[in-house]
Amino acid sequence: MQNSLIARRASFARGHRRAPSLLSAGLLVSVGLSLSTLSSTGWAQVAASDAAATLPAVSVSASKDAPVAQADTVSAGALGTRKLVDTPFSTRTVTAEEGKDLFATTSNDLFKYDPAVSVTSENAIGENSMFTVRGMPIDTLNSIKVDGQTFPSWDTDLSLEPFEQVELLKGLSGFMYGFGSPGGIVNYVLKRPTDTPYRSVTVGYRSADVFSEAVDLGGRFGNDDRFGYRLNLVNEAGNTAEQNGHVRRQVASLAFDFRITPDLTWSADAFYQKRKTNGTLFGLMFGAGLGIPDASTVTHALTQPQNYYQTEMASFGTGLDYRLSENWHASVKYRFAKENRTNSDSLLYVTDSAGDYSNTLYAAMTRYFYQNVDAMVEGKFNTGSIQHDVVVGAGFQTQTSEYSNSVGWNQGYFLGNGNLYSSTLLTNDEVSIGSNLYRQQRTTQAAVYASDTVQFTSRLSTLVGLRYTQYREHVYNTTGAVSSQYSADPVTPTVALMFKTDQNSTLYASYVESLEQGGAASNTNLNYPDTFGPLKSKQYEIGFKTDHSKWGANLALFRVDQGYNYTNSANIFVQDGTKRYTGVDASGWIALTSEWRVLGGVMWLDTKALGVDDASVEGKRVYGAPRFTATGRIEYNPSYLRPLTLAFGGKYVGNQAVNAANTQFVPAYVTYDLSGRYETKIAGKDVTFRAGINNLFNRRYWTTAWGYYVAPSPTRTAVASATLQF
């Protein structure tokens, strides 16, 4: 479906490009940045014993005795909630506090220092922020979750303020979550009521002129504190650093719970978000035979005043949580979610080596409706000396998509011609948003699943899980008639063997199968509107993970075989052959002293198309997948001034093929970030100041996605915030 929606905007184009220089990679290595990811408990524990300094004019508090908020658990879908170190999969979890230190506004920012993650677009200039994991894109129809339930996130970004943490499960998730691409699962965990009163107010700034205000309130009330609440309100508005850029965002979320008995809790939550960005660009396509120019030479004024992008989202969820006994627990939950999406942005088609392009603006409205019902029972029991940790559950979900039947969606509006190296004002008075919507697609999934984690000894255990899914999809034309349909009833297994080398370390080997929605030919393909059946994927992974007070590490060797769909050289959309991803994903951190901490990671990835009918694609690299990435972050917390923490980070991303035939490439690039945090007290209240610069050296680079288009990177951005907690 993703291929169909995107390919409506333009036909597939091919060209050529010479291999990029390795100078950027050498620069990163030369400064010792072979590093990665986020804050950890070890840093705070090492620093906690040192006294804080006192500054004039304000009262400075010592570093907190409690460690920095660092998640040690992850929601693993059908596996329930587990410790990160006890799962036989590659995972990354980032808490809200860690996100603040990264100045994160999207999941791109949260996982920027994970070497397995590569950005494909940024919402500062594009429609939304997206990334790949180990070269595989996240499925925005099925792989974005809120509290483990599928959430509409087609070309949109969830605001981070209402969420306690965001979890990334790398790779296949068929047993745990059902249908979805093998890139992984992004699960947003909502903030829930706090047991003690919590109040915070945050004001923020982002260049060139964007200001934000956020309020976070939580607590309990009533007899025996049986009622709890958590309220988040956000407002953001101003001119961004991009040409014609302006953003307006409002967010409101409320979570509520009622402890009916000590063992039974009812919860409910509501979420609303509206975001509009002016000065957006869908992307650029380069005609056959054209190379991709150096992004730093291209003008920053590629967008037009008529370009904007808006999304509006609303959700309601409720559930019951019942502790049956000390070892058994049951839950049931429901969620409804809706997304309205309005786009008025341009696709630029570059026609020659001089940089001349035609600008086509696509203006339309689309809607998405999701409903989820899930029930689960978790428990533990023994058979002799063997311990069983079992999960049994069932779920049902529906997804409905509505599209515009309009010129703005199907053909677009021609704005005129321009050049990549100069600014040109282009307009069209006929542009209008098509609001004549029709039901384009409806899918349903009904699933039952069960797993057993068998503990043979204190060190050795195995996991066996099965999910059976009834999957149905109907695609409709503008008259309401079914134009294509398919169904599948897969059984997707998961098998893993785990060995605890010590209490905080796990060596594992796992095998996972998964299915995802098949592709569909676009109206630019000769076989439009053919729709294909599900794509099957298999994943093999061997890994090791450990987390200690002063160091931690994660290592995974993996291979993923995924079905391939692409537009071949005859302009026919096909689904044949296999995409094979083989690689190493490694990251770690170490507290060198009580003042210095170093974090880092690397990913090496080999991708290849196998068994495809098109000779121009057979054996070629998979588009949008870098061969090598390296990330690094150094943190300094001086003993003479404990409230202050400074950080410097960098990321190298290797070159990537733009299309399946590998005739065009975007070059490798390196970016750097600088930031600082200072904690103090003012009038007896905790205050935290943060400031930083993203893309410190204003590196201009290209990202690429979906096998045919590229997008420019955002410019250097200054960020700052102050949080008052009372």
Side-chain angles (χ1 to χ4, degrees), residues 393-428:
F396 178 78
Q397 65 173 275
T398 65
Q399 302 176 14
T400 302
S401 305
E402 296 181 351
Y403 289 175
S404 292
N405 180 26
S406 64
V407 172
W409 174 255
N410 295 311
Q411 287 84 40
Y413 297 96
F414 179 66
L415 294 189
N417 298 312
N419 188 274
L420 293 178
Y421 307 104
S422 61
S423 175
T424 306
L425 179 63
L426 303 173
T427 62
N428 187 332

Side-chain angles (χ1 to χ4, degrees), residues 178-328:
F179 267 59
S181 71
I185 296 292
V186 182
N187 183 41
Y188 294 76
V189 180
L190 276 166
K191 290 178 178 177
R192 294 294 176 178
T194 55
D195 288 333
T196 57
Y198 178 84
R199 311 280 188 273
S200 74
V201 176
T202 301
V203 293
Y205 167 81
R206 177 161 50 95
S207 60
D209 189 29
V210 179
F211 292 89
S212 61
E213 308 85 32
V215 176
D216 186 355
L217 307 175
R220 308 200 69 82
F221 62 95
N223 294 333
D224 300 322
D225 287 337
R226 296 172 71 185
F227 299 93
Y229 68 93
R230 190 70 178 270
L231 174 68
N232 279 265
L233 301 172
V234 183
N235 179 69
E236 181 183 50
N239 297 319
T240 69
E242 308 302 326
Q243 173 73 15
N244 298 313
H246 185 275
V247 64
R248 175 78 174 178
R249 180 173 65 102
Q250 295 93 29
V251 182
S253 71
L254 176 63
F256 176 84
D257 71 26
F258 172 32
R259 294 172 177 170
I260 302 171
T261 72
D263 296 322
L264 179 63
T265 301
W266 170 68
S267 63
D269 62 80
F271 172 87
Y272 174 82
Q273 171 186 313
K274 186 174 183 179
R275 185 179 191 273
K276 181 179 181 181
T277 307
N278 293 84
T280 58
L281 187 69
F282 176 77
L284 295 87
M285 288 183 60
F286 287 82
L290 297 180
I292 310 296
D294 186 339
S296 64
T297 64
V298 174
T299 178
H300 290 204
L302 292 174
T303 64
Q304 302 298 332
Q306 287 180 287
N307 292 150
Y308 74 88
Y309 190 75
Q310 178 176 292
T311 56
E312 185 175 22
M313 309 175 69
S315 173
F316 169 77
T318 186
L320 284 171
D321 194 272
Y322 186 40
R323 187 176 62 180
L324 302 170
S325 67
E326 182 179 353
N327 292 325
W328 289 88

Side-chain angles (χ1 to χ4, degrees), residues 115 556 558 582-586 602-607 626-629:
F558 60 88
T582 306
V584 178
D585 177 6
V602 296
M603 181 191 70
W604 172 82
L605 182 65
D606 178 62
T607 63
R627 279 182 171 166
F628 183 76
T629 62

Side-chain angles (χ1 to χ4, degrees), residues 648-705:
F648 176 73
K651 184 166 189 173
Y652 167 83
V653 179
N655 72 340
Q656 301 170 62
V658 175
N659 54 25
N662 291 189
T663 58
Q664 295 174 327
F665 282 83
V666 294
Y669 64 89
V670 182
T671 59
Y672 297 98
D673 304 309
L674 180 66
S675 65
R677 181 186 71 239
Y678 184 78
E679 298 173 276
T680 186
K681 282 185 180 292
I682 299 178
K685 307 299 183 183
D686 291 331
V687 179
T688 303
F689 296 99
R690 295 177 173 91
I693 301 176
N694 294 327
N695 195 1
L696 180 63
F697 300 113
N698 204 21
R699 179 73 163 91
R700 194 72 165 173
Y701 56 91
W702 298 108
T703 61
T704 182

